[in-house]
Amino acid sequence: MIRWSYLLPRLLFILVIYLFFYFAFDLILKRQLINVLENVFEAKVEIERVKTSFINPSIEIDNLKIGNKDKEFRNLFEFKKMEFKILSKPLFEKKFVIERASVEGLGFDTPRKTSCKIKIKKTKLPAFLKNYIDITSNYVMENISEIKSNAIDNIKLDFENLNSIKLLREIENRYNNEYRHIDEKIDLKAYKERINELTSKVEKLKKEKNLIKQLKLAMELKKEVDKVYKDFKNDQRDIEKMIEEVKNYTSEIEKAKREDIEKIASILKIPQINSKTITSALIGNEVIRRVNYYYDLSQKIARYIPDNPKKKIFEEKRKRGRIIHFVKENSYPGFWLKTFYISGVFTPENPLEYTASIENITNMPSVYKLPLKISLYGKKDISEVSVNSSIYFSSDIVRSISDVKYNGIKVSNVNFGSDKLKIYISSAIVDSSLKIKTNANNIDLYLNSIFRDTHIKPDVNITSSKSINLEISRLLSEINKFYIEIRINGEFKKPEISFKTDLADVLLNLLDRAVKKEVEGLKHKIEEKINDEINKNREKLDKRLKEKQDELKKKLRENSDKISNQLLTIQKQLVENSIIK
Amino acid sequence: MNPLSYLRWFIKGIVKENSPSAIALAIAFGFVIGIIPKSNLTAQSIFILAMVIRTNTGFLILSILIFSFISPVIDPLTDRIGYFILTLPSLNKVFNWMYNTPVIAWSDFNNTVVMGGVVVGLILFLPVYYYSKKFGVYYNSFLKEKIAKSRVSKVLKASWLFEWYFK
């Protein structure tokens, strides 16, 4: 009765599948994991062993090492063992529920014997960061030593392309248009029509035989004449005001001139010496590099966050029939990691042991309205690290609050600055606090790091004077405490980034004394040249505008006289004919 | 499963020597599968059962196609019957247990058309079987030879691909 020709191939197929999972699946999964992680971290990833079990569903990963793409012989992090135990019952509902997962021996910035560089397509720098890179590199340190006091004398300025000169032309066109409009108004055509109407009404009034009717019409006409006269006077005043109005374009020109000066200064490679630009030059590149790294990482993570989790749950594609729901005892989301325990040693340099936990990692947060919580704590002697983060996915808009503190953390071999001014910190103790708030697409991040007990080895070559370079070097090496503040806020895709450090103030004072006078002198020379050109053009413009104003005033006077006379004549006619006495 | 396999089974089932009871069983199973939605464990299980026991594959596939084609006409009836059964207070506990039991939940038993279709299918299984058996006798006596000698069968049998595939 049983059709073995149907049954046997299928049983054989099941056996092959089982053998595949038993012998090959772990290897394939390991390879896939390495591929995915290498794409995310852009560095070599090593995994010693991946073991999966389907009878008691679990995944174990041993000795995972993820290289640091910026430090060839360091690992970004590594761990000894990671374990996931999956609940088998929800698996039959295609749901992955992990009651408990754990990572042991998680350490950061650990050394590695082999290089972690790999050939991988690098991610593009986002536009808003590229903009910041341009700002930070468009400075200073590279150019201070190149300042030449006669730089401006040796170049020929293309005045036609200066913003201020272009603006003067624009202003002339703008005013010509305005005067054309005034010219049309001066014509007073509307009043001519109204006066003609009044004249014809007066003629009609004269012919009226009925005295009472005539009186009534005369009263109305008088009112009309008064109104026309009043309107006319108002318009005349307005037009006069428009003509006389002092066209104040000085501030506009001044603004354009400042832009021109900066533009020429940048062509001549004259540095801007102020706190903001020095800060950018000192720490800008480092900050942007790190922001780019975390931005890129967050973008990759964001791909796994469901944009509208509710949609997934309540979506039911049924073409036929109705679905009757019964009471669900345990409603699990598609993926749910209840608690993920992590323990390890922070870094080889800061060997403080810590424990951490991540709760409620799920792809359907509206099933369990609990926030994703991350907490970490570690302490050893004076060093202390704590992380507290809550991310609310179940609310209408995703929001999060994170608070990271680390005190007494040893750092070494930190570099700031560029080729002409390198600040190498051989060792320091850092106290940092980081607060991040996100609300839908907006981010507000504030980081304050205090470097204390610093040993700074500066390499200064920013001015052409050796003695000034040595002086800057001496003062920088005497610094044993400084701070860095970073604020990132605004829309997540193009936030505003600002940074501050008191190291910049030290440098500013020194550079002020050393080169500011020279820089200001050069800028003054540029300003003089631009002023000469502006004044030439401005004189012409003012002359043309004055001529136009006079012409309009004359025309207005003539037309006004004509209208006034006509109105007076009408009033006289009304009186002479004794209509109104 | 590829479409050529279905075609192979279908032709084989139609032209091979088959008992009337195998034809009747195939039509009865095809009727049950045909009137319920297919993308669930219930339909798949019934199909596997029908394939494992010696039913006539050709007639099974043919009847699934025919009854699937007319299922929109039967759907309003099976929907009502299914809704009535699924909302019976006395069965609520059973359905609640099924709803919370892994694998069974994949059977789509809580779909009114699936539930109604299975019930209608079970009720009509024996009558369909009985009349199909009579049809099986008639088919073996009169129709089978005609179909075997038909142009379509000859063309298919003559094609080298068909021959090669049937080896």
Side-chain angles (χ1 to χ4, degrees):
Chain A
M1 188 66 183
I2 289 174
R3 187 186 273 128
W4 290 106
S5 62
Y6 176 82
L7 207 57
L8 271 177
R10 276 146 193 87
L11 290 174
L12 204 67
F13 179 70
I14 292 166
L15 184 72
V16 169
I17 296 279
Y18 175 77
L19 290 174
F20 164 77
F21 277 98
Y22 192 79
F23 290 109
F25 182 70
D26 290 353
L27 286 171
I28 291 166
L29 183 66
K30 182 176 147 182
R31 197 59 248 161
Q32 283 297 318
L33 271 174
I34 289 172
N35 277 344
V36 169
L37 292 171
E38 282 186 346
N39 272 309
V40 171
F41 293 100
E42 293 173 10
K44 200 170 183 180
V45 172
E46 289 155 318
I47 297 172
E48 194 185 294
R49 190 182 75 124
V50 173
K51 193 176 178 343
T52 51
S53 168
F54 291 91
I55 297 160
N56 291 311
S58 65
I59 302 169
E60 281 175 34
I61 300 169
D62 291 350
N63 287 327
L64 177 136
K65 287 173 188 168
I66 292 177
N68 185 337
K69 66 172 178 175
D70 299 321
K71 294 176 188 168
E72 202 177 339
F73 291 96
R74 308 291 288 187
N75 286 319
L76 196 66
F77 65 87
E78 64 170 281
F79 60 73
K80 285 192 177 72
K81 195 177 185 71
M82 181 188 265
E83 203 175 1
F84 290 92
K85 281 204 161 51
I86 302 162
L87 293 184
S88 48
K89 200 179 159 189
L91 212 57
F92 288 103
E93 297 172 41
K94 285 191 280 183
K95 287 170 180 177
F96 292 87
V97 180
I98 301 159
E99 188 84 14
R100 184 194 153 97
S102 63
V103 171
E104 288 165 27
L106 179 65
F108 298 89
D109 202 29
T110 51
R112 53 181 295 134
K113 285 172 189 165
T114 54
S115 165
C116 68
K117 281 202 171 171
I118 52 165
K119 275 183 188 171
I120 201 159
K121 201 182 162 192
K122 291 208 168 183
T123 43
K124 272 188 182 174
L125 201 67
F128 76 93
L129 286 179
K130 201 175 173 295
N131 194 20
Y132 276 98
I133 285 276
D134 291 343
I135 295 165
T136 55
S137 50
N138 182 22
Y139 179 60
V140 235
M141 300 305 175
E142 307 303 319
N143 302 324
I144 284 180
S145 60
E146 311 291 331
I147 299 171
K148 286 174 189 139
S149 54
N150 61 347
I152 187 68
D153 302 328
N154 299 334
I155 67 150
K156 203 176 172 238
L157 292 177
D158 180 11
F159 290 112
E160 290 306 307
N161 280 326
L162 289 183
N163 286 345
S164 45
I165 305 299
K166 278 187 198 163
L167 186 65
L168 276 170
R169 305 247 151 80
E170 255 179 56
I171 287 168
E172 189 176 356
N173 286 336
R174 206 195 302 158
Y175 288 166
N176 278 339
N177 282 336
E178 269 185 41
Y179 285 144
R180 201 172 300 130
H181 176 64
I182 295 169
D183 199 17
E184 279 165 18
K185 275 199 156 190
I186 285 172
D187 195 33
L188 301 169
K189 201 181 163 188
Y191 288 100
K192 283 173 193 164
E193 281 168 12
R194 283 170 82 178
I195 285 165
N196 286 341
E197 213 177 298
L198 285 171
T199 316
S200 63
K201 278 184 182 173
V202 169
E203 291 304 319
K204 208 177 162 188
L205 188 79
K206 281 181 195 171
K207 287 173 191 165
E208 183 61 56
K209 301 270 189 272
N210 188 330
L211 199 65
I212 297 166
K213 217 174 176 182
Q214 195 186 45
L215 195 65
K216 204 180 162 190
L217 279 171
M219 293 297 282
E220 278 170 14
L221 205 54
K222 164 93 174 56
K223 273 183 197 168
E224 256 182 78
V225 172
D226 289 346
K227 193 174 182 308
V228 172
Y229 193 75
K230 200 181 162 189
D231 289 349
F232 164 68
K233 280 289 162 195
N234 282 341
D235 273 1
Q236 190 187 16
R237 212 176 303 125
D238 285 349
I239 294 167
E240 274 169 2
K241 208 175 151 191
M242 278 162 84
I243 298 169
E244 282 301 327
E245 203 174 48
V246 182
K247 303 295 182 187
N248 188 6
Y249 55 83
T250 319
S251 60
E252 271 182 88
I253 294 289
E254 198 57 32
K255 199 180 156 201
K257 192 173 81 183
R258 291 281 140 222
E259 285 168 12
D260 286 337
I261 294 170
E262 293 309 325
K263 202 166 129 189
I264 296 166
S266 83
I267 294 168
L268 293 175
K269 296 183 175 175
I270 299 170
Q272 296 174 15
I273 297 173
N274 56 44
S275 182
K276 198 179 165 190
T277 50
I278 292 174
T279 307
S280 293
L282 267 178
I283 59 167
N285 265 322
E286 184 64 18
V287 171
I288 298 302
R289 199 179 58 78
R290 278 175 191 267
V291 169
N292 180 41
Y293 177 77
Y294 289 109
Y295 177 80
D296 186 43
L297 201 63
S298 63
Q299 291 286 90
K300 279 168 185 161
I301 293 166
R303 278 185 221 154
Y304 300 96
I305 298 170
D307 55 347
N308 183 0
K310 286 173 190 170
K311 196 171 91 185
K312 274 192 175 176
I313 294 164
F314 298 111
E315 191 180 56
E316 277 183 352
K317 285 178 189 166
R318 289 288 184 277
K319 283 180 186 166
R320 295 171 66 187
R322 290 171 280 174
I323 303 296
I324 309 295
H325 287 285
F326 298 92
V327 180
K328 194 83 183 159
E329 283 160 8
N330 285 309
S331 175
Y332 294 116
F335 177 85
W336 185 28
L337 200 164
K338 283 184 182 175
T339 321
F340 189 16
Y341 292 101
I342 304 159
S343 64
V345 175
F346 199 50
T347 63
E349 207 174 13
N350 294 283
L352 68 150
E353 286 180 0
Y354 70 89
T355 52
S357 67
I358 306 171
E359 289 170 48
N360 304 316
I361 302 175
T362 175
N363 67 336
M364 293 176 179
S366 39
V367 173
Y368 283 88
K369 293 185 187 296
L370 297 168
L372 190 150
K373 281 198 166 185
I374 303 167
S375 59
L376 181 149
Y377 185 75
K379 188 174 167 44
K380 191 187 181 189
D381 305 327
I382 54 155
S383 308
E384 192 176 7
V385 179
S386 71
V387 178
N388 283 300
S389 182
S390 300
I391 307 165
Y392 300 85
F393 288 112
S394 55
S395 50
D396 286 342
I397 47 168
V398 177
R399 59 191 174 87
S400 74
I401 304 169
S402 302
D403 193 357
V404 181
K405 276 183 193 146
Y406 56 93
N407 295 317
I409 300 297
K410 284 179 214 157
V411 294
S412 60
N413 305 324
V414 180
N415 277 304
F416 290 126
S418 58
D419 287 347
K420 300 265 170 129
L421 184 124
K422 270 185 197 159
I423 292 182
Y424 171 70
I425 300 167
S426 58
S427 69
I429 306 281
V430 181
D431 301 326
S432 269
S433 97
L434 170 70
K435 286 180 197 300
I436 311 170
K437 276 185 191 175
T438 63
N439 202 345
N441 291 325
N442 294 308
I443 182 167
D444 184 10
L445 177 150
Y446 175 74
L447 170 75
N448 181 22
S449 290
I450 297 165
F451 289 71
R452 58 187 164 86
D453 302 336
T454 50
H455 290 96
I456 297 179
K457 287 178 189 165
D459 181 6
V460 183
N461 199 16
I462 50 173
T463 72
S464 48
S465 159
K466 264 194 174 179
S467 59
I468 295 170
N469 288 344
L470 278 172
E471 172 71 0
I472 295 172
S473 219
R474 188 183 63 76
L475 279 168
L476 284 173
S477 56
E478 278 174 9
I479 293 171
N480 63 5
K481 190 180 176 184
F482 69 91
Y483 73 84
I484 290 174
E485 271 180 21
I486 299 165
R487 185 172 275 282
I488 300 173
N489 61 0
E491 213 181 310
F492 192 66
K493 281 184 181 168
K494 42 174 183 178
E496 292 284 324
I497 306 171
S498 60
F499 20 81
K500 224 166 119 183
T501 172
D502 52 357
L503 270 182
D505 298 333
V506 175
L507 265 172
L508 183 63
N509 282 334
L510 291 164
L511 291 173
D512 256 357
R513 271 189 275 152
V515 289
K516 196 172 183 182
K517 205 175 160 190
E518 230 169 325
V519 168
E520 293 303 318
L522 270 172
K523 284 193 178 173
H524 187 67
K525 275 188 183 177
I526 298 169
E527 191 174 356
E528 274 177 358
K529 281 211 169 195
I530 297 172
N531 274 345
D532 285 349
E533 192 62 23
I534 288 176
N535 288 340
K536 255 191 264 169
N537 284 279
R538 203 171 173 164
E539 271 170 32
K540 278 183 211 164
L541 173 66
D542 284 344
K543 198 181 161 195
R544 273 200 288 270
L545 293 182
K546 182 84 178 61
E547 282 170 6
K548 192 73 194 169
Q549 270 185 345
D550 290 344
E551 188 194 318
L552 290 174
K553 274 183 198 168
K554 196 182 161 197
K555 200 176 172 185
L556 177 68
R557 207 165 39 240
E558 284 170 7
N559 284 349
S560 300
D561 287 350
K562 222 184 264 179
I563 303 279
S564 299
N565 287 338
Q566 281 175 329
L567 282 169
L568 275 171
T569 314
I570 293 171
Q571 275 179 334
K572 259 185 199 170
Q573 277 179 335
L574 284 171
V575 177
E576 275 168 14
N577 287 293
S578 306
I579 297 165
I580 302 164
K581 286 186 181 172
Chain B
M1 177 125 1
N2 66 59
L4 212 58
S5 295
Y6 282 114
L7 186 68
R8 180 173 67 104
W9 283 353
F10 177 68
I11 300 290
K12 230 179 171 180
I14 296 287
V15 296
K16 245 179 105 180
E17 184 66 44
N18 267 307
S19 64
S21 58
I23 293 171
L25 214 53
I27 294 172
F29 272 115
F31 167 70
V32 182
I33 298 166
I35 60 169
I36 62 172
K38 315 290 176 294
S39 57
N40 54 65
L41 204 61
T42 310
Q44 304 297 325
S45 308
I46 299 169
F47 183 76
I48 289 168
L49 180 71
M51 288 302 286
V52 168
I53 57 175
R54 289 192 173 273
T55 57
N56 185 304
T57 321
F59 277 100
L60 177 71
I61 294 164
L62 194 69
S63 60
I64 290 173
L65 287 173
I66 291 167
F67 288 114
S68 295
F69 189 70
I70 59 164
S71 66
V73 185
I74 307 167
D75 271 1
L77 174 75
T78 51
D79 172 62
R80 280 187 184 185
I81 294 170
Y83 185 81
F84 171 75
I85 294 165
L86 285 166
T87 51
L88 272 176
S90 52
L91 290 174
N92 189 271
K93 269 191 179 176
V94 180
F95 292 139
N96 219 24
W97 171 81
M98 287 167 77
Y99 195 69
N100 286 287
T101 306
V103 184
I104 294 179
W106 288 3
S107 67
D108 274 6
F109 77 93
N110 58 331
N111 182 319
T112 51
V113 173
V114 174
M115 178 56 82
V118 169
V119 170
V120 169
L122 286 175
I123 293 167
L124 295 179
F125 192 86
L126 282 177
V128 171
Y129 176 80
Y130 177 76
Y131 287 107
S132 298
K133 203 171 178 181
K134 284 190 172 179
F135 168 76
V137 174
Y138 174 78
Y139 176 81
N140 277 336
S141 319
F142 302 103
L143 285 175
K144 195 179 75 186
E145 210 166 320
K146 274 186 186 175
I147 289 170
K149 283 177 184 172
S150 72
R151 267 188 198 172
V152 183
S153 299
K154 275 180 183 173
V155 167
L156 280 169
K157 274 191 151 183
S159 78
W160 64 269
L161 187 71
F162 191 82
E163 284 299 318
W164 169 80
Y165 196 74
F166 273 72
K167 269 182 188 174

